[in-house]
Amino acid sequence: MKRVLMVAFHFPPLAAGSGIQRTLRFVQQLPRAGWQPAVLTVHPRVHPQAPASSDGAPADDAVGADVPVRRSFALDAARDLALRGRYLGWTARPDRWASWRAFAVRDGLRLIDRWKPDVLWSTYPIATAHAIGAELQRRSGLPWVADFRDPMAQDGYPADPATWRSFRRIEERALRQAAAAVFTTPGAAQAYRARYPDAAARIEVIENGYDEGSFAAAVALAARDGGGPLVPGRATLLHSGIVYPSERDPRALFAALRRLLDGGRLRRDALRIRFRAPVHDALLRDLARRHGVEDVVEVCPPLGYREALAEMLRADGLLLLQASNCNAQIPAKFYEYLRAGRPVLALTDPAGDTAGALRGAGIDTIARLDAVDAIATALPRFLERLARGRAPLPRPEAVAGASRQARTQALAALLDRTLATSRARAGARS
């Protein structure tokens, strides 16, 4: 069986953040596609001791005993190198775990020497992972696939100029050195083809997805809980996962709620909007208080991953937030929403990739996240369609194509092409 060494920061026993799902499911499913993975990650001491989050914690983090996993030493600059809460900026560039690089390169070279992988793979959003992948590629000569997922150096992000420059250096090296660079949305891929035209032919798209095994367990949980509505007598819209103050800014939604209530177009006892594990709980509670909608909005703590999926299955509708500054990104939660098979109200830029993916799945219930008027129009219409059973549902073919199994097959095909090209070039040189 062919072998791939996978460099990833987010990996069990870490049990929080949607970033873990992509690597974990690839590791679990690649052997069925002809590739045996090994994992180079960080020691668990680096991860905060936080409860499992409904924004992507694995339902089943089991990794086969035949999967080599090397956990390298690293420090969190913000925690381990801080004095009175402050630390030197250079210790956290490109990110707080920059110290991981030296130890991971050492351990990765030993693993390469002993385990003999055919291809290297590294994954963002921790930029140090790509710095490790690049150095392992340089020293070993193995072909490398850089899984960017989302854009790295963007306009205004990272905000610190020195950190932005370090991001740009890493992405430039990756686009120059990697055999393939992978993004999760067409918009991100197109932006990078324009930014790095010499690498355009090596830029690929492999979207995120959902795990069918996790949903099978969630269906059983939902049935055990009775399978009824989340809040009897009220239409309940569920937003599951993090609400970022900028990238998923909910202020216009709260203003629209108050306008609808004041105008009599919405009854307080008819709607419940539930934010599950939003992280920024204080922001949401403050907005609810300022707009006088505390009895319509509830902010709930994290659930285990399967329980969070079961909650999606029981919601009357699912709420998706994505700002226009993320037009080239699609929330990982979107794919779980697809599999849940519930109506979706998306507050996002109609020109962005998220809206495009929704329309591609047959969902047209979309309004701009930053437009109070548009939300005040869209929300009552959505609730009316819910009540009449006419809210659009995702098309079955779109759901099937978004499974993690389908994404793993796409990655395996890319790894096959990468290895074949590398071997052909080696043969030509000899």
Side-chain angles (χ1 to χ4, degrees), residues 158-402:
D160 173 61
T163 303
W164 187 93
R165 289 192 294 270
S166 69
F167 268 47
R168 188 59 179 255
R169 285 193 297 270
I170 289 171
E171 76 172 30
E172 286 175 348
R173 185 178 184 186
L175 270 295
R176 182 175 63 249
Q177 197 172 324
V182 178
F183 293 86
T184 58
T185 67
Q190 187 54 41
Y192 271 70
R193 290 185 185 113
R195 185 182 296 183
Y196 299 100
D198 290 345
R202 293 181 281 115
I203 292 176
E204 307 263 353
V205 175
I206 300 178
E207 294 184 42
N208 282 311
Y210 65 87
D211 179 61
E212 183 58 36
S214 298
F215 267 95
V219 168
L221 279 174
R224 186 193 67 186
D225 294 337
L230 292 176
V231 182
R234 291 196 186 197
T236 303
L237 303 187
L238 170 68
H239 183 281
S240 189
I242 301 174
V243 177
Y244 297 103
S246 172
E247 294 86 349
R248 298 173 188 172
D249 185 352
R251 288 177 297 176
L253 170 61
F254 281 79
L257 280 174
R258 181 56 188 262
R259 180 184 296 182
L260 291 169
L261 291 167
D262 288 348
R265 298 173 59 199
L266 183 67
R267 295 197 342 262
R268 290 181 180 272
D269 61 354
L271 175 66
R272 177 68 56 85
I273 298 181
R274 176 178 294 182
F275 292 95
R276 173 66 67 182
V279 175
H280 298 280
D281 299 29
L283 167 68
L284 294 172
R285 291 194 174 101
D286 180 63
L287 285 170
R289 183 171 55 254
R290 281 195 283 138
H291 289 281
V293 295
E294 297 101 320
D295 54 343
V296 177
V297 172
E298 60 180 2
V299 180
C300 300
L303 292 173
Y305 186 58
R306 291 172 178 172
E307 288 78 8
L309 297 181
E311 186 176 41
M312 291 182 204
L313 292 167
R314 295 177 57 200
D316 296 296
L318 299 170
L319 181 63
L320 191 68
L321 311 179
Q322 187 80 333
S324 59
N325 59 7
C326 293
N327 270 2
Q329 301 173 35
I330 299 174
K333 191 64 59 182
F334 162 78
Y335 302 96
E336 292 163 350
Y337 279 12
L338 283 187
R339 175 57 182 83
R342 307 302 300 143
V344 177
L345 174 61
L347 305 183
T348 190
D349 185 348
D353 278 357
T354 297
L358 285 158
R359 290 191 293 266
I363 299 170
D364 62 358
T365 43
I366 300 168
R368 291 187 63 90
L369 176 63
D370 58 356
V372 177
D373 290 347
I375 297 172
T377 299
L379 180 56
R381 288 179 179 172
F382 181 74
L383 294 174
E384 180 184 0
R385 295 173 79 176
L386 272 184
R388 297 170 63 186
R390 294 186 177 180
L393 299 175
R395 290 198 295 262
E397 60 270 24
V399 176

Side-chain angles (χ1 to χ4, degrees), residues 1-57:
M1 187 178 289
K2 294 156 289 190
R3 293 179 168 185
V4 56
L5 174 57
M6 310 185 81
V7 182
F9 180 89
H10 297 101
F11 199 70
L14 175 66
S18 57
I20 196 173
Q21 287 290 311
R22 189 171 175 91
T23 301
L24 175 61
R25 303 311 176 189
F26 283 156
V27 168
Q28 291 175 328
Q29 297 175 11
L30 272 172
R32 293 194 290 272
W35 283 87
Q36 177 62 44
V39 180
L40 180 62
T41 187
V42 292
H43 192 279
R45 70 170 297 279
V46 172
H47 298 307
Q49 299 301 309
S53 162
S54 62
D55 198 40

Side-chain angles (χ1 to χ4, degrees), residues 60-123:
D60 178 6
D61 63 2
V63 176
D66 59 340
V67 177
V69 179
R70 177 62 187 181
R71 304 181 187 277
S72 300
F73 178 82
L75 297 171
D76 179 345
R79 183 186 67 196
D80 302 319
L81 301 178
L83 180 63
R84 297 192 183 96
R86 300 175 67 86
Y87 54 93
L88 296 174
W90 65 265
T91 65
R93 294 191 186 107
D95 47 59
R96 289 159 38 196
W97 305 276
S99 58
W100 179 34
R101 179 180 180 275
F103 298 98
V105 168
R106 178 200 64 189
D107 294 341
L109 289 172
R110 291 173 179 171
L111 191 54
I112 289 169
D113 184 62
R114 182 175 69 254
W115 195 66
K116 309 295 185 189
D118 298 290
V119 178
L120 303 172
W121 179 92
S122 64
T123 189

